[in-house]
Amino acid sequence: MRARLVFVEQFYYPEGWGGAELPRDLTTYLATRGFDVEVICGADQYVPAQDDVANPASVGVHIRRIPSIGGGPRRLRLLRQAWFSLALLPLLLLGRRAQLYLTQTNPPGAVVLAGIAARLRRTPLIIIAMDVYPEVVAAYGMVRADGWLWRLLRSLFRWSYRSATRVVALGPVMAERLRSKGVEPGRIVTCSNWSTGAAGIVRGNDNGLRSEWQLQGCFVLLYSGNLGVGHEFETLLEGIARARQTVPNLRLVVIGRGSRAQEVRALIEALHLTDIVRMADFLPASRLPESLGLADVALVTLRTGFEGLMVPSKVLSYMARGLPILYVGPASDIDVYLDACGCGMAVRGGDAIGVQRAVLALHADPAKLTSMGDAGRRYYDQSLAREHGLAHYQSIIQACLAERRGAP
């Protein structure tokens, strides 16, 4: 008899957001490995749908969608999360019994509700900690760390994480955060995400974006992804403003959206960088090889206080495509990747002069850029590629099922 797994994630196929590709990859893989997989997801989309990828239902994944409450994908976000969470619990409690629940932390309420359902139905639970709650909410400034709401959320999430059969951390710094919440070390498993989106990059004259955006002959720094509260831009932009005085062909390309987008635009104007910066919304997934192919150096940032609470997935996309990385932020799981293979440079938040020096050093040494990119791609292929992550998840699931059966 096939083991029945129920996977919870608000954004799923045909969602175009890169983070939705991870659960799509995992559930499709598990269905092809003989598991009976059901996904409970929402009907809303964060990024326009991808129409060039296979429907997971074609390999047997059962998709159950919670109906939308209307409006655009960026409106009423908290209300949408609350609606999804309210509709989720009865589906878990009244649906056909599963041998295992898996939930990502989107929406965060799913973690608590899946924990309740797992306890009531005596079903193992795996929490995939894309972010660590409620600490990340406090870091966002959405709740006061000394108020009653914080104490309530801390108790609920602490109970959920501690009661899970396994909690997947995205790196050792995040794993330490989970241990500090009281999760038993034996229940924490470190498993990296993998690169998403269309594989490969398009360089040189074959890259249509380079000519469209008039970037021929330019030294391009690329930031691709979310412009959210957890990302650092002040140090990065001030360092670029300093570096442009020495590198006249320096350009910054920012592709993405997020809550800090307007703030970033205002900072660009204040630093008189508008003539060397291009900002664009997310492009169709089919153009990802072109957009990433613009980068001479790929940028990753993290705000102080968010280390171990989140791990920007863009670093894996950069490594998979052989792009040298400049990281600006506190010591975090990103440093683990950089130190493991020498695929980039790290500068701490607040050190704009350090950013300036890093940009100048990278611009002056094309051979170093090539060696860092090659090192990142080798390390990714050997240790972090999709097949490694999927096989690791399968082993985690099988271990949980074996424990449920009482096997050694």
Side-chain angles (χ1 to χ4, degrees), residues 283-344:
L283 299 171
S286 60
R287 301 208 75 177
L288 188 65
E290 291 178 273
S291 64
L292 293 182
L294 296 173
D296 292 291
V297 177
L299 303 172
V300 184
T301 70
L302 195 65
R303 237 176 176 174
T304 299
F306 285 83
E307 58 272 26
L309 301 182
M310 55 187 289
V311 182
S313 59
K314 61 174 65 67
V315 66
L316 284 307
S317 292
Y318 295 159
M319 293 174 67
R321 294 166 177 86
L323 299 176
I325 295 168
L326 174 58
Y327 165 56
V328 181
S332 70
D333 287 309
I334 300 169
D335 289 271
V336 175
Y337 296 122
L338 303 185
D339 294 342
C341 62
C343 63

Side-chain angles (χ1 to χ4, degrees), residues 7-10 39-45 63-70 80-92 107 110 113:
F7 192 103
V8 178
E9 163 60 42
Q10 185 176 6
V39 175
I40 300 177
C41 60
D44 297 314
Q45 291 180 341
I63 303 174
R64 177 175 293 190
R65 298 192 188 277
I66 293 175
S68 170
I69 58 174
R80 290 175 182 283
Q81 290 183 348
W83 162 247
F84 183 93
S85 300
L86 286 173
L88 172 64
L89 188 58
L91 292 179
L92 293 175
L113 296 175

Side-chain angles (χ1 to χ4, degrees), residues 156-400:
L156 288 172
F157 281 97
R158 179 182 173 89
W159 172 83
S160 302
Y161 284 113
R162 293 180 68 181
S163 63
T165 312
R166 293 289 188 278
V167 182
V168 177
L170 302 185
V173 180
M174 181 179 283
E176 183 56 38
R177 288 273 197 173
L178 293 168
R179 282 192 290 271
S180 72
K181 295 171 72 68
V183 183
E184 295 178 11
R187 295 191 177 200
I188 300 172
V189 184
T190 300
C191 184
S192 170
N193 287 336
W194 49 87
S195 173
T196 61
I201 55 175
V202 180
R203 293 286 202 182
N205 294 331
D206 294 331
N207 189 322
L209 281 178
R210 185 170 288 274
S211 58
E212 286 178 35
W213 291 353
Q214 299 179 350
L215 295 171
Q216 301 95 327
C218 294
F219 185 74
V220 178
L221 308 178
L222 173 73
Y223 183 95
S224 178
N226 184 37
L227 303 169
V229 175
H231 300 281
E232 212 280 9
F233 299 105
E234 294 83 356
T235 304
L236 173 68
L237 292 173
E238 185 181 340
I240 291 173
R242 291 172 175 270
R244 71 170 300 183
Q245 301 171 21
T246 308
V247 185
N249 67 336
L250 181 64
R251 298 291 185 272
L252 170 64
V253 174
V254 180
I255 301 175
R257 68 168 69 137
S259 60
R260 296 194 73 194
Q262 291 300 325
E263 184 182 346
V264 170
R265 288 190 178 93
L267 189 56
I268 288 169
E269 291 182 5
L271 292 169
H272 307 291
L273 293 173
T274 53
D275 59 322
I276 70 165
V277 177
R278 172 176 284 274
M279 294 189 69
D281 200 348
F282 286 117
L283 299 171
S286 60
R287 301 208 75 177
L288 188 65
E290 291 178 273
S291 64
L292 293 182
L294 296 173
D296 292 291
V297 177
L299 303 172
V300 184
T301 70
L302 195 65
R303 237 176 176 174
T304 299
F306 285 83
E307 58 272 26
L309 301 182
M310 55 187 289
V311 182
S313 59
K314 61 174 65 67
V315 66
L316 284 307
S317 292
Y318 295 159
M319 293 174 67
R321 294 166 177 86
L323 299 176
I325 295 168
L326 174 58
Y327 165 56
V328 181
S332 70
D333 287 309
I334 300 169
D335 289 271
V336 175
Y337 296 122
L338 303 185
D339 294 342
C341 62
C343 63
M345 301 175 65
V347 179
R348 298 303 167 222
D351 185 8
I353 294 176
V355 172
Q356 176 191 16
R357 290 172 176 166
V359 171
L360 296 182
L362 294 170
H363 175 263
D365 195 348
K368 184 177 183 65
L369 292 177
T370 300
S371 65
M372 287 195 305
D374 290 345
R377 181 163 44 213
R378 284 195 302 271
Y379 184 76
Y380 177 85
D381 290 342
Q382 294 168 3
S383 305
L384 305 172
R386 180 186 285 112
E387 59 268 23
H388 300 302
L390 292 174
H392 194 182
Y393 269 108
Q394 183 176 355
S395 69
I396 295 168
I397 290 167
Q398 289 174 330
C400 291

